[in-house]
Amino acid sequence: MNLNVPLQQIKGIGEKTAAEFEAAGLHTVNDLIHFLPRAYEDFSHVTTIADIHPGKMTIKARCEKITTRPVRRGLRITTATLADETGKLQAVWFNQPYRETQLKSGEEFYFSGVFEFNFNKYQLTNPSAEKVSDMPVHTDRILPIYRSIHGLKTTLVRKIMNELRPLMSMVPETLPISIVKSENLVSHSDALLGIHFPEAIDDISKAKERIGFEELFALLLASQLNRIENQKLRGWRIHFDRTIVKAFVLKLPFELTGAQRRAAWDILQDFEKKVPMNRLLQGDVGSGKTVVAGLAARQAAHEGFQTAVMAPTEILATQHAQTLSTLLSPFGVTVGLLTGSVKGKARQTLYDAIKKGDVDVVVGTHALIQSSVNFHRLGFVVIDEQHRFGVNQRHALLLKSAHMPHLLAMTATPIPRSLALTVYGELDVSVLNELPKNRTPVATKIWSPNSRMQLYGLIESQLIKGRQAYVICSLIDNNPDNELKSVQAEFKRLDQKEFKHRTIGLLHGKMTATEKNEIMKRFTAGKIDILVSTTVVEVGVDVPNATVILIEDADHFGLAQLHQLRGRVGRSAHQSYCYLMVSSSKTPSRRLKEVEKSNDGFYLAEVDLRLRGPGEIYGRAQHGELNLQVASLADTKLIARTQKAAKAFVESGADLLHYHQLHRDVTQYQRLTTLN
Ligand code: ADP
Ligand code: MG
């Protein structure tokens, strides 16, 4: 049988079942045999009732009697008498009344659960129950449990897998044999058998090791190959002119940090090479990435190259255009802003200027990648908050140049080492691991709503000194279905009650771009004391005079997001404060405590990776496509091992085309993970 045949051709799969699988993304036999169990039920050690002793147990028995009774509101207890040839035993389920229908048939079941002393007698508590006749093979074994697909039962999936078992044992090897041998892995087909039909727990771990290795191998190979391909590209060489750079640095109102100098040096060195730069600039919030990009843009402009700076929000693009214009206009470098709000004639004029090369630095949102935008000579592309963009968007911008331009991707979301190795393995990285000298760490504290008035007192004490504050809420409007705070309601309350004597501003994503810009302008100019905002201010916004941020319903936000929000303050020499208000008086989550404890974005990213997995850090949309069923991006040991093997494979000069499956996966990943 061919692995690529549609599922409908398999015995036991009708049109309806096939459609369900289809909807879950399983189209072919190959897809299905790689659909892995989410867990196992261990029926490999079955005890007789006479032999039972406390602990986790499995028995094979029939149900003789079963009743359900309500104990109190919200609690129903189902009690059953189970029997085998050696004796009888009581089983109890809490709030699982459906057990009655399931077990009344009188058929034989495997029951697996904890046998314990409870309510003054020994009983089996909350056991799972699997019909013996549903077992694909009629031996006692470890049973896979599949993620339920729409209405399809795990028993049906098991039955189909059993149909496919002979095929699994014939599936060809997908990895190079030399690697399977040297890494001491089980073969592809043994891995499939081990994962779907394990005879011992050890089979599962061996199978998982092999599958995990393979998943990471494809990913790491892809990034190695991307790196090699990048080396072959030819771009623009931009000469590094020290007098130009020096003049720019001298004119800054501050001294660059050592880290900023090193990053700028890295970039200017890359500019001079034939191979286009492919660099990630990682720097914690407030570490001063913008000025580094500005410096490089200055050099590019001097050599007659245009720079494009793309930012994820209009607020941020507007702010960057202002900052860069201040930095660059003294040198005659022109800066243009292209966003959705630039319309009609103004837009056309800007297009023409970009095309003629009259604008040196074009700052914008996604508007930059539209087909009507044509550059005269685009030599340098900066993508701020790069994880907010998809591969295609980044790619579209790079394609606006006749030659591959130099790329600087910037992010304030630190990438843990394991991710840097895998997903971003092909990049050169510069790190701003040093904050500007004048900063004092933001003092962070968790607050309970009971002390709200006291907290407002603290905020007022900052406002009296002429500082400004943010109040962040998760909702725009009140929602009857939950009790989260909304900017509308908080704005109204603060404006009319607690901070009646102050100027309060309101900012959220449903306002028009012009309204948002107006508010940001007034806040930046110090004309608003308290800005009540949703997370639209989360990325990049820079108002150094703001020294307080109060985050309402803080437990509702992710760790990285809280750190980003906190980064809105602490941008000047003044001591800044971040107040995390919990929704209720219950104990604050681990997340909040970590944010309270640490100001270090890299440390927090590692914690985040452990608490929530890599999806949040890498970007949800993209992570879904990584298709890692077994391997974890937090498994640094396996990553290091796989990395070595992938390197060796590339160096051996082996031809990837010989390995169809691997070649397909790698090509897919290459497209997904590349920055250019
Ligand atoms: P981020 O890395 O979060 O994007 P920004 O580029 O917005 O940070 O810079 C944060 C603030 O720090 C800005 O107001 C900027 O002018 C200021 N800044 C940048 N570099 C320095 C420095 N070396 N010394 C003092 N202030 C600096
Ligand atoms: Mg920034």
Side-chain angles (χ1 to χ4, degrees):
M1 193 198 264
N2 181 337
L3 285 178
N4 290 320
V5 299
L7 287 175
Q8 221 176 308
Q9 293 182 18
I10 303 172
K11 199 178 135 203
I13 300 192
E15 210 166 301
K16 195 160 155 263
T17 311
E20 301 286 12
F21 280 131
E22 196 85 13
L26 303 169
H27 310 288
T28 62
V29 168
N30 196 43
D31 294 338
L32 192 58
I33 61 180
H34 290 98
F35 178 66
L36 307 184
R38 65 169 172 81
Y40 294 89
E41 198 69 70
D42 189 354
F43 295 109
S44 59
H45 300 287
V46 178
T47 320
T48 57
I49 289 178
D51 274 345
I52 205 160
H53 51 269
K56 185 141 171 67
M57 287 295 130
T58 301
I59 57 164
K60 192 176 181 180
R62 278 176 223 283
C63 168
E64 287 197 338
K65 209 174 92 196
I66 186 160
T67 53
T68 299
R69 64 194 160 86
V71 177
R72 55 180 155 78
R73 245 185 87 139
L75 180 64
R76 279 191 290 174
I77 293 190
T78 304
T79 315
T81 309
L82 309 180
D84 68 5
E85 305 82 61
T86 67
K88 289 186 186 184
L89 163 77
Q90 181 167 300
V92 170
W93 290 269
F94 300 106
N95 287 335
Q96 299 181 13
Y98 61 89
R99 293 291 180 193
E100 276 201 39
T101 2
Q102 181 193 18
L103 301 177
K104 263 188 179 148
S105 62
E107 269 196 70
E108 212 175 11
F109 283 83
Y110 286 108
F111 295 95
S112 190
V114 180
F115 185 62
E116 61 185 357
F117 194 69
N118 216 339
F119 296 108
N120 289 325
K121 55 182 165 253
Y122 274 103
Q123 62 183 27
L124 199 54
T125 313
N126 277 332
S128 66
E130 292 283 345
K131 222 190 265 182
V132 173
S133 60
D134 274 348
M135 298 289 229
V137 272
H138 291 261
T139 50
D140 305 332
R141 55 187 288 252
I142 303 168
L143 210 56
I145 301 168
Y146 295 91
R147 175 166 58 79
S148 77
I149 301 176
H150 304 281
L152 299 180
K153 288 214 178 82
T154 197
T155 46
L156 174 70
V157 178
R158 268 183 222 146
K159 240 183 219 142
I160 295 166
M161 290 294 184
N162 205 41
E163 288 291 326
L164 296 173
R165 189 173 182 165
L167 182 87
M168 287 186 209
S169 59
M170 293 186 310
V171 165
E173 182 52 59
T174 42
L175 281 174
I177 304 287
S178 57
I179 291 180
V180 176
K181 283 217 179 96
S182 64
E183 292 295 327
N184 205 5
L185 300 168
V186 297
S187 70
H188 191 94
S189 113
D190 281 348
L192 290 176
L193 293 172
I195 206 114
H196 293 295
F197 309 97
E199 277 160 22
I201 295 291
D202 193 41
D203 292 346
I204 304 172
S205 53
K206 283 218 183 84
K208 281 191 168 168
E209 181 199 355
R210 149 79 207 217
I211 296 169
F213 183 95
E214 187 163 3
E215 288 171 349
L216 287 172
F217 188 74
L219 185 56
L220 288 162
L221 199 52
S223 76
Q224 300 253 342
L225 294 176
N226 274 343
R227 201 185 171 91
I228 290 172
E229 267 168 33
N230 288 341
Q231 298 295 318
K232 289 191 204 142
L233 290 172
R234 289 294 167 261
W236 311 99
R237 292 175 86 152
I238 303 177
H239 176 61
F240 176 5
D241 186 336
R242 273 150 229 252
T243 45
I244 291 298
V245 172
K246 210 173 218 169
F248 177 88
V249 173
L250 278 176
K251 209 160 172 66
L252 290 173
F254 44 72
E255 216 175 287
L256 289 178
T257 63
Q260 282 172 321
R261 267 175 229 273
R262 282 189 294 276
W265 175 262
D266 290 343
I267 294 166
L268 295 170
Q269 292 290 312
D270 285 355
F271 271 6
E272 290 212 298
K273 293 183 190 144
K274 270 188 262 157
V275 180
M277 173 169 74
N278 197 25
R279 185 169 287 281
L280 182 70
L281 178 59
Q282 261 192 79
D284 210 341
V285 276
S287 59
K289 293 181 288 293
T290 319
V291 66
V292 175
L295 182 152
R298 166 67 189 120
Q299 178 65 82
H302 181 73
E303 297 291 315
F305 291 98
Q306 287 173 299
T307 297
V309 181
M310 185 157 75
T313 65
E314 186 149 355
I315 293 179
L316 197 51
T318 311
Q319 177 189 294
H320 279 336
Q322 272 154 11
T323 309
L324 291 172
S325 174
T326 314
L327 290 173
L328 296 169
S329 59
F331 304 99
V333 176
T334 50
V335 177
L337 172 66
L338 179 61
T339 63
S341 334
V342 183
K343 292 205 173 87
K345 206 159 159 233
R347 197 176 184 97
Q348 195 52 50
T349 313
L350 185 56
Y351 283 160
D352 294 342
I354 296 172
K355 195 168 176 184
K356 281 211 312 245
D358 289 348
V359 187
D360 299 309
V361 178
V362 188
V363 186
T365 52
H366 303 85
L368 286 178
I369 58 182
Q370 278 159 6
S371 58
S372 30
V373 183
N374 293 296
F375 287 84
H376 173 63
R377 201 165 175 233
L378 177 61
F380 179 33
V381 165
V382 180
I383 299 190
D384 195 22
E385 309 291 345
Q386 72 88 20
H387 58 285
R388 293 282 178 119
F389 293 98
V391 194
N392 294 338
Q393 291 166 324
R394 293 190 296 239
H395 202 84
L397 187 52
L398 291 165
L399 286 179
K400 299 248 173 226
S401 177
H403 286 285
M404 183 55 83
H406 295 284
L407 171 68
L408 183 68
M410 309 203 289
T411 182
T413 307
I415 297 164
R417 236 173 51 83
S418 57
L419 275 184
L421 264 177
T422 47
V423 182
Y424 297 112
E426 71 197 78
L427 293 177
D428 294 312
V429 180
S430 297
V431 183
L432 298 185
N433 51 3
E434 184 186 348
L435 289 180
K437 263 206 292 300
N438 59 355
R439 307 283 168 77
T440 25
V442 179
T444 305
K445 201 169 173 337
I446 299 173
W447 280 76
S448 106
N450 304 336
S451 321
R452 183 174 285 280
M453 284 307 141
Q454 192 192 340
L455 178 57
Y456 285 158
L458 290 179
I459 294 177
E460 177 62 22
S461 69
Q462 285 293 305
L463 301 183
I464 285 177
K465 289 187 193 158
R467 305 281 95 77
Q468 292 159 277
Y470 295 96
V471 172
I472 307 297
C473 308
S474 37
L475 302 181
I476 296 179
D477 282 304
N478 272 350
N479 179 343
D481 293 336
N482 66 41
E483 283 166 1
L484 297 177
K485 292 221 171 320
S486 74
V487 283
Q488 297 282 14
E490 284 305 284
F491 169 77
K492 202 164 155 201
R493 192 166 56 78
L494 297 178
D495 191 47
Q496 292 174 0
K497 276 179 69 188
E498 288 91 349
F499 289 96
K500 212 170 154 178
H501 56 297
R502 294 284 175 192
T503 314
I504 317 288
L506 173 67
L507 185 68
H508 59 75
K510 276 199 192 146
M511 292 160 58
T512 67
T514 327
E515 287 170 335
K516 279 190 263 186
N517 280 335
E518 185 53 33
I519 291 286
M520 277 318 294
K521 222 186 259 164
R522 287 178 56 211
F523 189 60
T524 310
K527 290 185 181 135
I528 290 174
D529 299 310
I530 302 178
L531 183 63
V532 183
S533 172
T534 55
T535 54
V536 289
V537 298
E538 174 187 337
V539 289
V541 168
D542 183 41
V543 180
N545 190 49
T547 54
V548 185
I549 185 163
L550 160 59
I551 304 172
E552 298 282 357
D553 301 310
D555 31 2
H556 189 72
F557 295 99
L559 211 156
Q561 207 176 12
L562 289 170
H563 183 62
Q564 272 277 353
L565 283 167
R566 174 170 57 185
R568 292 321 105 217
V569 298
R571 294 179 157 255
S572 67
H574 304 296
Q575 172 66 56
S576 290
Y577 305 89
C578 172
Y579 301 124
L580 306 169
M581 181 65 86
V582 292
S583 325
S584 64
S585 312
K586 55 177 200 243
T587 36
S589 63
R590 163 94 192 273
R591 266 210 313 278
L592 288 191
K593 287 193 198 142
E594 293 284 0
V595 176
E596 185 179 45
K597 195 173 79 185
S598 171
N599 263 300
D600 180 346
F602 281 82
Y603 167 77
L604 292 174
E606 296 285 351
V607 173
D608 208 16
L609 184 64
R610 255 178 288 133
L611 288 181
R612 299 213 293 174
E616 302 294 325
I617 296 160
Y618 177 47
R620 247 157 292 199
Q622 292 168 39
H623 183 252
E625 295 178 52
L626 283 184
N627 191 25
L628 300 178
Q629 285 201 77
V630 171
S632 153
L633 285 181
D635 188 347
T636 29
K637 243 174 151 173
L638 185 61
I639 288 171
R641 182 178 153 197
T642 317
Q643 170 90 338
K644 242 179 155 171
K647 259 207 175 113
F649 180 78
V650 171
E651 280 160 14
S652 76
D655 190 353
L656 189 56
L657 285 170
H658 292 154
Y659 310 96
H660 298 301
Q661 179 71 36
L662 188 61
H663 179 247
R664 212 187 58 184
D665 293 349
V666 167
T667 319
Q668 205 170 332
Y669 278 145
Q670 271 190 281
R671 229 172 301 127
L672 187 72
T673 61
T674 186
L675 272 188
N676 60 19

